[in-house]
Amino acid sequence: MSSQAELKQYLEFAISLAKDAGQMIRDATQKRLSSTSSQFVVKYDNPTDLVTETDQAVEKFIKERLSSTFPEHKFIGEETMAEGVQSEFTDAPTWIVDPIDGTTNFVHSHPYVAVSIGLTIGKEPVVGVVYCPLMDELYSAAKGLGAYLNETISLPMVRSPLEDLSQCLVATEAGSDRTPEVFDKKIDFIRTLLGQKQCHGKQAHSIRCTGSAAINMCTIAKGVVDVYWEVGCWEWDVAAAVVIVREAGGIVVSGDNKRDLSPVNIFGRKYLAIRAAQDQQSQIKIAEQMWEIIPEINAPRKPVPGGFEP
Ligand code: LIP
């Protein structure tokens, strides 16, 4: 296992890399704002799952910097996987990267975009950096070293008690799978989550959708959102933020509809995160209330020899 000094070194590297990648995203946004073209969207396999030239350029930049600095480390990235490159997930240090989480926001010049850089060692997420360059908010954490906003503000910022799902602000997303068998269940879930108690709803305070799993989870780490649930996003969306939420006192478990309090499998495509609370029992109570209404949704991945495929 890595020492805290090693984790700190990886964390500092990831922070500096995220800042440089963030500058690329800011430059591309400036260019975008002075252009009337939308041709920089490069893939329309699924019209609700966008990829831009900037996603590809930022990932290439991050991957090259990582491989020249840590040649023995492994790399899993959203765009590398999209190109069909398979990576086996092993105990070796593995950087898991989303160059732009919130690509749909980026395409619309909406500021909720983030570069997400996570590191696993022994398959456990141990370092996470989520940088939102258009808002200049940098969330960072390493196992045992705490979670911070902009490197100085200790997280969570909000420490009020967590009482009941009816008192909660819940982050969730439409996601890119709009097939009726998936989408209808998500809509039904939102109806039950927000609906009045006399209509068998949980009557939660409201929902929020930032368009980025990483940013949603950072709002959990901050404490300004109580619960995050999403099915269908990927390990690169959450690998960094899992560390940030945990170091901020939150929990991240499976977002499947079965009760399971074991640490989340980041490759499972189903995520439930609860913010820091007065005690773990209060977090478990909210998770139980969520499991009562979370639908069973299939979010498969195709296994391939020696690796996996999104
Ligand atoms: C996005 C996720 C978001 C999800 C979107 C998409 P991308 O990642 O962070 O939570 O709802 O469908 O997957 O594609 O912007 O990196």
Side-chain angles (χ1 to χ4, degrees):
M1 192 55 208
S2 297
S3 67
Q4 293 216 323
E6 271 175 303
L7 290 184
K8 199 160 184 284
Q9 180 210 339
Y10 295 143
L11 176 66
E12 281 166 6
F13 185 81
I15 288 174
S16 122
L17 191 53
K19 286 179 179 172
D20 290 347
Q23 187 57 49
M24 291 175 76
I25 296 170
R26 265 195 298 270
D27 291 346
T29 300
Q30 272 311 319
K31 207 167 143 197
R32 164 84 177 138
L33 289 172
S34 54
S35 154
T36 51
S37 159
S38 60
Q39 63 192 6
F40 74 129
V41 174
V42 295
K43 191 189 78 174
Y44 275 114
D45 286 355
N46 172 353
T48 49
D49 187 7
L50 308 181
V51 178
T52 71
E53 287 164 6
T54 310
D55 292 73
Q56 295 173 333
V58 173
E59 181 155 320
K60 186 169 180 283
F61 164 77
I62 293 174
K63 191 178 176 183
E64 283 172 3
R65 279 271 292 270
L66 284 170
S67 70
S68 61
T69 313
F70 305 113
E72 72 287 6
H73 289 189
K74 309 271 185 216
F75 180 86
I76 293 173
E78 178 170 23
E79 307 317 328
T80 306
M81 293 284 281
E83 284 162 14
V85 177
Q86 303 302 327
S87 319
E88 202 184 345
F89 187 49
T90 67
D91 283 343
T94 302
W95 295 91
I96 304 184
V97 170
D98 191 347
I100 302 183
D101 189 40
T103 303
T104 305
N105 288 335
F106 178 69
V107 167
H108 289 266
S109 303
H110 185 292
Y112 286 3
V113 299
V115 47
S116 173
I117 302 177
L119 173 68
T120 62
I121 299 179
K123 296 198 173 85
E124 183 190 10
V126 289
V127 168
V129 175
V130 172
Y131 180 43
C132 313
L134 306 180
M135 300 186 289
D136 202 19
E137 288 187 1
L138 188 141
Y139 297 85
S140 61
K143 188 179 176 188
L145 296 175
Y148 292 89
L149 168 59
N150 291 340
E151 298 171 78
T152 52
I153 302 166
S154 179
L155 298 176
M157 293 167 74
V158 175
R159 293 163 188 272
S160 52
L162 204 48
E163 307 286 6
D164 189 86
L165 188 53
S166 62
Q167 310 291 306
C168 286
L169 190 56
V170 180
T172 191
E173 293 289 334
S176 54
D177 186 345
R178 306 292 165 82
T179 55
E181 55 273 24
V182 168
F183 198 59
D184 289 354
K185 286 180 181 172
K186 288 188 178 174
I187 297 295
D188 286 346
F189 162 79
I190 290 171
R191 185 179 295 111
T192 311
L193 177 72
L194 299 181
Q196 290 183 318
K197 289 198 168 161
Q198 53 267 47
C199 305
H200 310 291
K202 294 287 183 190
Q203 218 165 327
H205 275 174
S206 195
I207 54 166
R208 294 291 178 267
C209 314
T210 66
S212 153
I215 296 180
N216 282 326
M217 289 178 72
C218 288
T219 65
I220 297 290
K222 225 176 181 178
V224 296
V225 172
D226 305 298
V227 182
Y228 163 65
W229 172 71
E230 184 165 1
V231 169
C233 49
W234 299 92
E235 50 277 9
W236 41 79
D237 298 316
V238 301
V242 163
V243 187
I244 298 168
V245 169
R246 287 188 181 144
E247 285 298 311
I251 59 170
V252 190
V253 294
S254 169
D256 206 351
N257 66 336
K258 290 167 201 69
R259 187 187 195 283
D260 183 1
L261 283 167
S262 43
V264 71
N265 165 16
I266 57 167
F267 290 81
R269 305 195 63 200
K270 302 181 182 189
Y271 310 99
L272 175 63
I274 318 273
R275 73 160 167 88
Q278 62 278 32
D279 53 46
Q280 211 191 20
Q281 266 323 104
S282 312
Q283 293 173 310
I284 293 172
K285 176 184 170 182
I286 302 292
E288 305 271 13
Q289 290 180 309
M290 286 292 289
W291 281 318
E292 282 170 27
I293 62 170
I294 285 175
E296 190 171 345
I297 295 180
N298 201 14
R301 59 188 318 137
K302 297 180 226 154
V304 296
F308 48 80
E309 186 185 317

